[in-house]
Amino acid sequence: SIQILIAETQAKNPAWLKAAQQNLEDLARAQPGYLPVHLALGRIFRGAGLIVRARASFARALALDPSDREATDALAALATSPVRRSSS
């Protein structure tokens, strides 16, 4: 969706990272069954080094579609990543 594209573009600028996360979290609350938003959140959190949040987003994506390759591969890769806690 256009909202995901905008958020992923925003996330490339550190000054807009929080806005990107918030926009996607709002979309995820509005459409909790929308797989692409959980994948996008996972990518953004992973890129920001927020491993716990990335894992949670990819796990939600996998719960929605157990055969999703991106979520499966991301969770496998994140299994050995060092954890950085987020301040929200």
Side-chain angles (χ1 to χ4, degrees):
S1 81
I2 189 72
Q3 293 134 315
I4 291 173
L5 291 173
I6 290 169
E8 289 182 325
T9 301
Q10 287 176 317
K12 293 176 184 179
N13 182 331
W16 294 350
L17 180 59
K18 285 267 189 206
Q21 291 172 0
Q22 188 62 53
N23 290 339
L24 288 178
E25 288 170 343
D26 291 347
L27 181 57
R29 276 191 290 282
Q31 299 181 37
Y34 186 47
L35 175 69
V37 73
H38 299 291
L39 294 171
L41 275 167
R43 289 190 296 269
I44 287 174
F45 289 141
R46 180 180 56 204
L50 302 173
I51 304 306
V52 170
R53 294 183 81 182
R55 286 178 186 155
S57 293
F58 286 123
R60 279 192 292 279
L62 206 54
L64 292 171
D65 181 357
S67 66
D68 187 81
R69 191 69 173 165
E70 180 181 356
T72 301
D73 292 347
L75 282 172
L78 290 169
T80 58
S81 295
V83 174
R84 179 176 142 210
R85 302 258 180 233
S86 75
S87 59
S88 248

